Amino acid sequence: MEMNNKETRRVVIGITAHVDAGKTTLAEAMLYRTGQLRKLGRVDHGSAAMDSHLLERERGITIFLSQAELPLGDMEVTLLDTPGHVDFSAEMERTLSVLDYAILVISGVDGVQAHTRTLWRLLELYRVPTFLFVTKMDFGRRDRDCLMESLRHELGDFTPADRERRMEQLATCREDALEAYLDTGMVPEELVRQLVRQRLVFPCWFGSGLKLEGIDEFLEGLARYVEPPAY
């Protein structure tokens, strides 16, 4: 019998946000679109799979760390849903040292909030490569350009790597990226993955976890830019 010696590539990704920003709803959407859930749960209905504790369902917030497994391209992801309320931030901070990557969820309605800034500083302190997802865009109160400028102003100057941004932005991150851009007119995805890993680039997507808008594109982007560590 032929043996398959190819090892499964594994990665740990934590999802974090200011309370009520839509973090657990996004996690539910990711699990649903990857076939891990048959039915999309809702936090406000007390049916979210990631909020399994009775107290969480009664209060409608994440209190305890929960985890789920989902496929991402040729990788297996352990997704950690961390508490968003500031009262339980110690529980969240304990997970940062074990993360390979993080997803920082921002409400498209409220924008960057007080605890969002704290989370951003902690992710920088622990040197966790970070992706951003701006959710609740189905409310339509602010457009993407306005939100992107707000992110830059509130969180500092960073280079998003979403599809709507030009390659020139990536080329300014590192000398070899600039050389690749000048030679070919683009920055190779392998190099972008390195830039993400070194926290020089923070890919950003927009959508709605509740309406499943932008979720497939987000998952595809994660599959492109996540590089499992070699232990």
Side-chain angles (χ1 to χ4, degrees):
M1 182 175 66
E2 183 180 352
M3 299 294 291
N4 183 7
N5 294 322
K6 185 177 180 181
E7 294 185 2
T8 302
R9 304 200 309 159
R10 300 184 182 278
V11 64
V12 180
I13 301 178
I15 184 167
T16 187
H18 186 98
V19 65
D20 290 333
K23 170 182 54 64
T24 300
T25 301
L26 175 61
E28 294 283 315
M30 294 171 66
L31 292 171
Y32 179 75
R33 293 302 296 166
T34 54
Q36 304 306 106
L37 293 178
R38 292 186 177 182
K39 183 179 180 181
L40 187 65
R42 289 186 56 158
V43 175
D44 54 345
H45 292 174
S47 58
M50 298 295 278
D51 284 345
S52 57
H53 197 279
L54 178 61
L55 188 59
E56 293 176 311
R57 296 191 171 188
E58 288 177 348
R59 298 185 62 178
I61 61 174
T62 301
I63 298 174
F64 307 103
L65 178 72
S66 58
Q67 72 177 58
E69 305 292 326
L70 69 147
L72 187 66
D74 62 348
M75 297 175 286
E76 288 293 331
V77 171
T78 298
L79 185 67
L80 302 181
D81 185 17
T82 66
H85 198 285
V86 66
D87 290 347
F88 310 108
S89 57
E91 176 83 357
M92 180 279 303
E93 188 172 351
R94 279 194 292 269
T95 69
L96 296 182
S97 61
V98 304
L99 298 182
D100 298 314
Y101 291 85
I103 299 168
L104 180 60
V105 182
I106 297 173
S107 167
V109 176
D110 302 308
V112 175
Q113 298 167 276
H115 194 49
T116 313
R117 301 184 190 93
T118 300
L119 293 170
W120 184 255
R121 289 193 293 268
L122 287 171
L123 291 168
E124 181 180 17
L125 177 66
Y126 284 87
R127 303 298 300 166
V128 182
T130 303
F131 301 95
L132 287 83
F133 190 90
V134 182
T135 191
K136 299 188 180 181
M137 293 300 292
D138 50 312
F139 284 89
R141 296 181 185 178
R142 301 172 70 180
D143 60 35
R144 296 188 180 192
D145 290 338
C146 176
L147 282 165
M148 186 60 73
E149 287 305 313
S150 174
L151 293 180
R152 284 179 171 277
H153 176 72
E154 295 284 352
L155 303 181
D157 188 22
F158 62 90
T159 304
D162 62 322
R163 292 184 301 175
E164 298 181 4
R165 293 293 163 179
R166 297 180 179 274
M167 282 290 175
E168 287 93 330
Q169 293 177 295
L170 294 175
T172 61
C173 292
R174 215 168 61 183
E175 186 175 348
D176 53 352
L178 179 59
E179 291 177 356
Y181 175 74
L182 293 175
D183 289 341
T184 65
M186 63 178 295
V187 179
E189 285 190 355
E190 181 179 355
L191 188 50
V192 177
R193 285 194 291 271
Q194 294 178 22
L195 297 175
V196 172
R197 188 70 185 169
Q198 295 177 7
R199 287 182 49 87
L200 295 173
V201 169
F202 302 89
C204 180
W205 287 266
F206 295 82
S208 167
L210 186 61
K211 301 293 185 180
L212 298 177
E213 296 172 359
I215 303 303
D216 290 342
E217 292 82 0
F218 180 50
L219 290 168
E220 291 168 4
L222 290 179
R224 284 198 307 270
Y225 299 132
V226 165
E227 184 65 37
Y231 293 108

